[in-house]
């Protein structure tokens, strides 16, 4: 091939090769810079306190130990905090998506009066700055006797999040052809059957995307947690990490290990469901 | 979720359905009570945890309240007090600065990264994932990662010394001149990958025919960017802008974890000032008034977002 091509195509090929090399150099440097802080924390988390004290945080590591993880996990209470986070996140994701998919089903498949207004009202609630809700929400949960319990956190997370998911799922469900549903109606299917047997399975891609996304959002929340919770042992991992920072000042191996523990679940979800995750962001944003 | 009902069998029953009276179709759109419940239950959950508290929040902004005794109605006094509150002024300025720097840079750099990484080629998936990975971190973990970098003996100071700029080293987070900027960097580190994903999706949505036609017409790379890419990205830009403004006004976690608004309120945002006023100083009325200010600032964005959603929902 190269023997038959003239000198002009040789220069184009060289230029293209240079461009490719330039691209990889640029993108590679950028990625390396981006990953550097993460690498630093991973390295710091397995160093000993003495090593960091002697050689500095930015110095080359001279030791390896998992002691930081043990201290964060056991003494720092992160085991408890991680369980709390899961106890909040998993039910919240499931409940929010169940409720939101029902509402989206009703709004998108039936001629409800005021359906557009309802839809936008629900989306509008999610767009409100949470700050305006903090004080009343803490008071309401006190009145209900839910203050300082995970139930309050689950409740407010569901209430605040549901509007956005309804909006996204509504857009998705509207694209399902009406004929599919009509056939089932004629066969005598109830709304519940249509919802659970027909529409929901067809909405799976959107549900997968939203669950990956909402898992990280709810798991990573700090503001609602410190608004409705007070007791340390009930705090989720984000709040516990801040506590760890106060408790182990300058013990960077423990703090770094704590950060790794707090980030691990969402990173795992991301790596496992990367495609859904990215799809979810676009799904929500295009609207 | 077990048995996915395929379309085929139902279509086979098609001919029989034609015998059904036409009125059926009409009846199927009438709303059964179950369907009403489908909407009402989520709506009530949201009303209880969002709309009702929001109304209370607005009311509380007109009161003086310590959280123990009953709230005392004082009209607009809280807002009057703000005009003389130096910390409030700092918080507003910092919030505006945050909006411009964090918002502007994340949009620009996110677009830049998207342009660099838009093409499907070998290795691009890895680069995208590298830039995107911080998006899934909690802002608290992000903050702590960067706090390690900012320490006096941390990587940033060591790197500065290494390249002969030792005189620039400082305690980045404890210095009033640098605290705010030192907090913005981690927030950017986390946000850019997110904006990049939005822009990559937008770039992929542009019809390649447009580029081919302009190439035939002799447009160069810059002209193609200026006259095709940018106009075609208009709707993504609107989304990114809304996301950024709303995110900026909500920004709390990263500042709280790094500086709590300090030193001496030099990195105070409206959101952190609101939180500390309400839950640490226990001035719940004044805190509510600060929340109202945040709401008013966000309102334009929320309204335009809803107007656009209104058009698209149809």
């Amino acid at each position: 091939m190269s023997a038959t091509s003239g000198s002009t195509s040789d220069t184009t090929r060289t230029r293209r090769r240079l461009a490719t090399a330039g691209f990889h150099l640029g993108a590679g440097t950028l990625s390396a810079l981006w990953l550097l802080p993460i690498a630093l924390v991973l390295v710091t988390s397995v160093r000993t306190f003495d090593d960091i004290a002697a050689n500095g945080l930015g110095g080359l590591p001279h030791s390896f130990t998992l002691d930081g993880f043990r201290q964060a996990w056991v003494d720092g209470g992160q085991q408890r905090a991680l369980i709390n986070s899961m106890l909040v996140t998993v039910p919240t994701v499931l409940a929010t998506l169940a409720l939101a998919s029902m509402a989206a089903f009703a709004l998108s498949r039936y001629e409800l009066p005021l359906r557009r207004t309802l839809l936008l009202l629900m989306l509008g609630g999610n767009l409100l700055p949470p700050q305006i809700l903090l004080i009343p929400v803490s008071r309401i949960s006190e009145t209900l006797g839910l203050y300082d319990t995970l139930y309050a956190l689950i409740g407010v997370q569901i209430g605040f999040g549901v509007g956005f998911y309804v909006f996204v799922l509504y857009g998705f469900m509207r694209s399902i052809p009406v004929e599919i549903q009509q056939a089932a109606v004629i066969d005598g299917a109830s709304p519940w059957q249509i919802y659970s047997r027909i529409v929901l399975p067809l909405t799976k891609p959107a549900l997968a995307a939203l669950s990956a996304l909402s898992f990280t959002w709810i798991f990573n929340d700090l503001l609602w947690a410190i608004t409705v919770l007070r007791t340390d042992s009930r705090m989720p991992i984000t709040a516990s990490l801040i506590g760890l920072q106060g408790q182990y000042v300058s013990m960077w191996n423990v703090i770094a290990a704590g950060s790794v523990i707090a980030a691990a679940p969402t990173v795992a979800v991301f790596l496992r469901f990367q495609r859904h995750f990215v799809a979810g962001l676009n799904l929500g944003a295009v609207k | 979720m077990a048995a996915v009902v395929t379309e085929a069998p139902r279509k086979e029953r098609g001919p029989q359905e034609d015998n059904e009276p036409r009125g059926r179709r009409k009846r199927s759109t009438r709303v059964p009570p179950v369907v009403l419940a489908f909407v009402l239950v989520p709506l009530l959950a949201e009303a209880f945890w969002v709309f009702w508290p929001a109304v209370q929040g607005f009311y509380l902004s007109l009161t003086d309240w310590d959280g123990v005794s009953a709230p005392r109605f004082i009209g607009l006094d809280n807002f009057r007090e703000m005009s003389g509150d130096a910390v409030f002024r700092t918080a507003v300025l910092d919030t505006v600065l945050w909006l411009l720097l964090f918002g502007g840079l994340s949009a620009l750099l996110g677009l830049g990264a998207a342009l660099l990484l838009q093409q499907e080629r070998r290795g691009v998936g890895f680069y995208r994932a590298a830039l995107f990975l911080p998006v899934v971190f909690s802002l608290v973990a992000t903050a702590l990662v960067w706090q390690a970098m900012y320490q006096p003996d941390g990587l940033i100071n060591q790197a500065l010394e290494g390249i002969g700029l030792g005189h620039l080293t400082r305690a980045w987070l404890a210095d009033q001149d640098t605290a705010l900027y030192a907090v913005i960097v981690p927030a950017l580190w986390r946000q850019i990958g997110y904006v990049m994903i939005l822009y990559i999706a937008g770039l992929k949505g542009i019809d390649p025919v447009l580029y081919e036609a302009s190439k035939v017409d002799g447009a160069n790379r810059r002209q193609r960017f200026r006259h095709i890419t940018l106009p075609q990205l208009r709707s993504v830009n609107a989304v990114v802008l809304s996301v950024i403004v709303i995110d900026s006004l909500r920004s709390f976690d990263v500042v709280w974890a790094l500086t709590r608004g300090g030193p001496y309120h030099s990195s105070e945002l409206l959101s952190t000032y609101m939180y500390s006023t309400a839950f640490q100083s226990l001035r719940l009325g004044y805190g509510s008034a600060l929340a109202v200010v945040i709401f008013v600032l966000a309102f334009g964005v929320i309204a335009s977002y809803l107007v656009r959603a209104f058009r698209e929902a149809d």
Side-chain angles (χ1 to χ4, degrees), chain B residues 44-67:
Chain B
L44 281 178
E46 193 173 358
F48 183 78
W49 288 106
V50 177
F51 300 128
W52 169 231
V55 172
Q56 287 190 332
F58 284 107
Y59 169 72
L60 287 173
S61 74
L62 305 173
T63 64
D64 184 22
W65 189 34
D66 57 6

Side-chain angles (χ1 to χ4, degrees), chain A residues 49-66:
Chain A
F49 177 70
D50 296 334
D51 174 21
I52 296 170
N55 300 301
L57 251 179
L60 288 173
H62 291 81
S63 57
F64 179 88
T65 172
L66 293 177

